Amino acid sequence: EALHFVDGIGDRGGAVLAKGAGDIAMKDVSFTGCEASTRGGGMYVISSGDVSLEGASFSECTAGSEGGGMYVFENGDVSLDGASFSECTAGTYGGGMYMRNSGDVSLEG
């Protein structure tokens, strides 16, 4: 069964904020209409381990600065398999996704 986050609001990570969390793996998760006043409209991940999302969707998520859908900073490897970003916006960088200072990045359809 899928996990859905709808209309989450926060300063960082409208639905999910993970800081120093170790490895993060999510499957069939959706973020819809989530917003952050600064970074990571749907999801904000910082100083954690590897980040793996399979079948994730970000729709109509917004961030005031970076990463309308998700913001990933200083983590391990990042893997997105079958992810989709639709109508996500950010005030400055990365309407769909913003990644910085992380390990290897793998994006697959």
Side-chain angles (χ1 to χ4, degrees), residues 18-22 44-49 72-76:
K19 182 175 181 181
Y44 177 99
V45 185
I46 185 169
S47 301
S48 296
V72 179
F73 183 69
E74 294 182 344
N75 297 286

Side-chain angles (χ1 to χ4, degrees), residues 2-61:
L3 176 61
H4 304 284
F5 294 98
V6 180
D7 297 333
I9 298 174
D11 176 52
R12 290 174 282 170
V16 173
L17 185 150
K19 182 175 181 181
D23 293 342
I24 296 167
M26 293 184 176
K27 183 175 180 179
D28 298 330
V29 62
S30 68
F31 300 85
T32 304
C34 297
E35 62 182 89
S37 57
T38 59
R39 298 176 177 100
M43 185 175 183
Y44 177 99
V45 185
I46 185 169
S47 301
S48 296
D50 295 341
V51 179
S52 175
L53 301 179
E54 182 180 340
S57 68
F58 296 84
S59 178
E60 299 175 6
C61 293

Side-chain angles (χ1 to χ4, degrees), residues 50-93:
D50 295 341
V51 179
S52 175
L53 301 179
E54 182 180 340
S57 68
F58 296 84
S59 178
E60 299 175 6
C61 293
T62 62
S65 57
E66 295 101 7
M70 66 184 290
Y71 177 92
V72 179
F73 183 69
E74 294 182 344
N75 297 286
D77 296 341
V78 179
S79 172
L80 280 80
D81 186 0
S84 67
F85 295 85
S86 174
E87 299 182 48
C88 295
T89 60
T92 56
Y93 303 109

